[in-house]
Amino acid sequence: MRVALVSEHASPLAVVGAVDAGGQNVHVDALAAALVQQGHDVTVHTRRDDPDQPARVDTDAGYAVLHVPAGPAGPLPKDDLWPHMPAFADGLTAQLAALAPDVVHGHFWMSAWAADRAADALDLPRLVTFHALGTVKRRHQGPADTSPPERVGVELAVARAADRVVATCSDEVRELRRMGVPAERTTVVPCGVDATRFTPVEDGTPVPPRTRRHRLVTVGRPVPRKGFAVVVEALATLPDTELLVVGGATGDPERDRLQELAARVRVADRLHFPGQVPRAAMPALLRSADAVVCAPWYEPFGLVPLEAMACGVPVVSAAVGGMLDSVGDGVTGLLVPPQDPVALAAALRRLLAAPELGARLGAAGRARVLERYTWPRVAAATADAYAAALERRPRAAAQPLRRA
Ligand code: UDP
C-alpha cells in the first residue's frame, strides 16, 4: 500500500523530550519504518519548522518526510498552529495529489482535520489516531488547557468522517464512545516499542552513577500533567532512594517548580535531572532503575511504560489511560491511584524492599511486550485497519499521477 502519514507538529525527525516533542514523534517514526519493512511505501507530511529544511528528506528507515509550508518556517507551540492549518491542508492536498496514496492517516486532531480536507478533495480513504483527546485534556486541565476552543468539535467531526478511528487503548475507546463516535468504526491498535533496542541486556552505554542504594527513573516532557511532582512528594518518604527525572532542559518552568518542591520536602539532594536523553541512550537509563515510575494525571497511551517493560524493568504507574491495558497490576508492575503520593510511595516501598518481586515483574513485562507490543505486530494491525478503510471506501481512480 501507498501510505501517507500526516503529523503536523510532531516530526519524526525531531529530537524528543522537549515540551512539544514526545511520544507522537517516536510513534510516527517507528510506525513509518515498520510499515516500510512490511513492504509499504510511506511518506510522512509534517509542518516546515526550520527555513533550512529541504522539502523532502529520505530517511535511512526507508520512508520520506515531506515538509509542508504553513505559517512561519520556525518553531511554534502546537497550540498556536490551528490558524495555519488551512495553509497546511492546501500544501498537503498538493503533495497528496502528486503521490496518490491509497490511504491517508492523520495523527493528532489538527493533522486529521487537514488530512480530511485533502482526502475530501482527492476522494481518499482516511484514518485518524488522536494520540490525545481534547475532551480528556479539558477535563483534567480545566482553565490551564491552552488548546484552541475548536479542538473538541473538530475531533468529533473528523472522527465521524474517518473510515476508521485507530484508538491506542480501551480507555480511549470508552472516551470516543462518550463523545458519540460510532464504536463499529473504531479499532484498537496499541503503540509499539522497539524490542530489539529496548532489551534487558546491557549495551555499555554510560549512565549517571548511582548516589543512593535505590534508583527510580521517570521520563517525559516537562509539563505538569506528567505528574513528576507526585513522584517528588513520594520520594520524601523513601529512604536511601534517588530519582532521575528525564526530559526537558534547564530553565523549563516545570523543572524550576519541581526543584522548589524538592527543596520544600527536603529531597533536593536526591533529585537529578539528566535532561533530554537521546533515543539511543534511553534503554540503558531505564535499565539502571530499580523501578520506572509513571505518575501522570492522565495518559492517552504512554510509551515509557512499554519501553521500561521491554527492558525488563518493573513499572509503578498511575492507573490511567493506556497503562490500564499495558501495565498488568501485580503482573508487570504495580498500579496506583493517580495524584496520590502516599499510595505511590507505598507501592514503591513494597517493590524496593523485595528485589525478587521486581525481577519477576520485570521479566513478565518483557514477555508481555514480545507478545503484544512489537512494531512488526503493531504495523501489521495498522495495515489491517488501512485495508478495512479501503474496503469501506474503494478508490475510484487509484492510478498514481506522478511521484513527488
Ligand atoms: N523521550 C526521549 N528522551 C527524553 C524524553 C523522552 O527519548 O529525554 C521519549 C521517551 O522514551 C518516549 C517518548 O519520548 O519514547 C515519550 O512518550 P510518552 O508516550 O511516554 O509521552 P508523550 O510525550 O507522548 O506524552
Side-chain angles (χ1 to χ4, degrees), residues 39 55 67 69 71 82 138 148 166 170 180 183 223 237 239 298 311 332 344-345 366:
H67 290 113
W82 178 238
R138 198 159 65 182
V166 181
S170 37
V223 291
T237 63
Y298 66 97
C311 289
T332 75
L344 178 61
R366 172 78 187 166

Side-chain angles (χ1 to χ4, degrees), residues 16-17 21-24 26 198 219-221 225-226 246-248 275-279 282 299 301-305 307:
V16 294
Q24 188 178 328
V26 173
F198 288 87
V219 181
R221 294 172 294 117
R225 75 111 173 141
K226 286 288 174 184
V246 180
Q276 267 170 259
V277 169
R279 300 295 300 141
M282 189 59 79
E299 187 62 82
F301 182 78
L303 286 180
V304 171
E307 292 169 350

Side-chain angles (χ1 to χ4, degrees), residues 124-127 159-165 185 388-390 392-393:
L124 298 172
R126 77 286 311 257
L127 298 94
R160 287 197 166 138
D163 296 294
R164 291 232 64 85
V165 178
R185 258 186 291 126
L390 263 167
R392 186 165 182 272
R393 192 192 298 257

Side-chain angles (χ1 to χ4, degrees), residues 15-377:
V15 177
V16 294
V19 168
D20 273 344
Q24 188 178 328
N25 307 66
V26 173
H27 177 97
V28 170
D29 167 50
L31 176 62
L35 286 168
V36 167
Q37 283 290 315
Q38 293 178 7
H40 304 290
D41 183 348
V42 183
T43 51
V44 178
H45 305 258
T46 191
R47 194 182 77 87
R48 183 168 175 232
D49 62 4
D50 177 342
D52 299 328
Q53 261 158 359
R56 177 183 173 118
V57 176
D58 287 291
T59 67
D60 293 343
Y63 65 86
V65 176
L66 273 69
H67 290 113
V68 183
L76 279 180
K78 71 171 183 281
D79 288 339
D80 294 348
L81 289 178
W82 178 238
H84 303 295
M85 284 300 108
F88 185 87
D90 290 347
L92 176 67
T93 306
Q95 290 178 352
L96 297 186
L99 291 163
D102 296 302
V103 291
V104 186
H105 185 177
H107 291 259
F108 203 58
W109 68 279
M110 286 182 281
S111 293
W113 179 85
D116 230 29
R117 295 250 302 219
D120 276 346
L122 303 168
D123 189 23
L124 298 172
R126 77 286 311 257
L127 298 94
V128 51
T129 297
F130 284 110
H131 291 271
L133 287 169
T135 43
V136 178
K137 188 172 184 190
R138 198 159 65 182
R139 189 182 314 138
H140 288 279
Q141 300 209 358
D145 179 6
T146 51
S147 303
E150 293 86 350
R151 176 171 178 174
V152 169
V154 169
E155 281 178 348
L156 184 56
V158 295
R160 287 197 166 138
D163 296 294
R164 291 232 64 85
V165 178
V166 181
T168 57
C169 64
S170 37
D171 187 56
E172 187 182 348
V173 175
R174 281 190 288 276
E175 292 290 349
L176 287 163
R177 221 176 272 153
R178 277 171 77 168
M179 284 164 60
V181 177
E184 65 277 9
R185 258 186 291 126
T186 305
T187 309
V188 178
V189 181
C191 298
V193 60
D194 183 346
T196 64
R197 285 186 44 248
F198 288 87
T199 75
V201 181
E202 296 298 337
D203 58 13
T205 307
V207 292
R210 270 192 193 218
T211 65
R212 294 292 192 282
R213 177 150 166 249
H214 302 298
R215 168 175 288 182
L216 304 175
V217 170
T218 189
V219 181
R221 294 172 294 117
V223 291
R225 75 111 173 141
K226 286 288 174 184
F228 300 132
V230 181
V231 195
V232 171
E233 281 185 55
L235 184 64
T237 63
L238 298 171
D240 209 5
T241 304
E242 64 176 0
L243 171 66
L244 273 57
V245 177
V246 180
T250 312
D252 281 330
E254 181 60 5
R255 187 183 284 194
D256 295 345
R257 199 173 75 93
L258 293 173
Q259 256 155 348
E260 278 164 31
L261 171 65
R264 217 168 41 243
V265 299
R266 299 205 163 79
V267 295
D269 59 330
R270 297 193 276 134
L271 173 63
H272 307 291
F273 293 98
Q276 267 170 259
V277 169
R279 300 295 300 141
M282 189 59 79
L285 199 55
L286 297 176
R287 273 194 300 267
S288 77
D290 296 297
V292 168
V293 188
C294 305
W297 307 345
Y298 66 97
E299 187 62 82
F301 182 78
L303 286 180
V304 171
L306 284 196
E307 292 169 350
M309 284 158 59
C311 289
V313 179
V315 177
V316 178
S317 169
V320 294
M323 276 89 87
L324 296 169
D325 291 354
S326 61
V327 179
D329 188 25
V331 181
T332 75
L334 301 174
L335 289 177
V336 294
Q339 306 204 60
D340 185 340
V342 175
L344 178 61
L348 285 167
R349 242 191 319 273
R350 185 177 152 210
L351 192 65
L352 295 177
E356 65 292 346
L357 172 64
R360 178 163 61 75
L361 299 176
R366 172 78 187 166
R368 193 173 176 106
V369 160
L370 295 180
E371 198 191 328
R372 301 185 188 181
Y373 297 111
T374 63
W375 274 110
R377 271 177 196 279

